[in-house]
Amino acid sequence: MLGLMQGRVLRPRHGPALTVRPLRHGDTKTVLAVFERMSDQSRRARFHGPKPTLSSRELAQLAIVDERHYVLVAYVHGDSTPVAIARLACNGDAAEIAFAVADEYQQLGIGSALTAELAADARAAGIREIIAHVSSDNPVAIALVRHLSRALHISRSGSELAIRAAIA
Ligand SMILES: CC(C)(COP(=O)(O)OP(=O)(O)OC[C@H]1O[C@@H](n2cnc3c(N)ncnc32)[C@H](O)[C@@H]1OP(=O)(O)O)[C@@H](O)C(=O)NCCC(=O)NCCS
């Protein structure tokens, strides 16, 4: 569904230039490399609960790339290990987004740049709405999703927010 592209360069607002490429199907090594750079707190925020390790089944699921699943991975120059990953799971013309940045590279604009790029790819592929599930105590993730669109619909279930961003 979403076409493959070559690596491209993004320039986050405060941080180093990023080289971004799509994940190849089955590349669990890259998924694990980002996970290993995340603190317990970031892992909890990303997976909505404690997640000290990823099972091989979870890793395989996170590394699925097909007509419904699309993943971008980001690198900074001089660091051979990926620094961020963002994933879309499409369902019709809507797609659920999930994203993470290695702790040592957070607060540099990398998350914003990577998710904006993913949203642009989604829009180009005909996706009209991006849905993010984030905890209400995760203001950075909420701010990041807010950047995707001015047209937001937010619903709450307990401490979790479902944010729907119209991107068409
Ligand atoms: C969420 C996450 C990806 C953000 O990545 P990041 O690279 O640190 O984010 P950015 O530097 O692009 O900042 C995002 C925005 O949050 C804003 N922000 C930072 N701290 C904030 C705070 N305490 N309150 C509100 N907004 C805040 C930033 O100012 C920025 O907005 P701006 O571009 O208008 O300045 C990163 O914190 C992360 O990996 N968290 C763990 C995983 C997670 O929570 N995933 C979300 C659920 S899938």
Side-chain angles (χ1 to χ4, degrees), residues 48-70:
H48 311 291
K51 185 63 73 180
T53 58
L54 288 174
S55 68
S56 44
R57 185 157 175 243
E58 288 169 324
L59 266 177
Q61 277 172 347
L62 290 166
I64 292 174
V65 175
D66 58 18
E67 52 296 323
R68 289 206 313 116
H69 299 90
Y70 180 68

Side-chain angles (χ1 to χ4, degrees), residues 103-128:
D103 282 61
E104 65 192 286
Y105 287 97
Q106 289 180 7
Q107 306 281 323
L108 296 173
I110 290 175
S112 298
L114 185 61
T115 52
E117 193 69 7
L118 192 67
D121 286 349
R123 191 180 297 114
I127 297 294
R128 301 174 64 83

Side-chain angles (χ1 to χ4, degrees), residues 13 45 99-101 106-112 138-140 143-144 147:
R13 272 208 282 180
F99 41 81
V101 175
Q106 289 180 7
Q107 306 281 323
L108 296 173
I110 290 175
S112 298
N138 191 348
V140 186
L144 203 149
H147 286 325

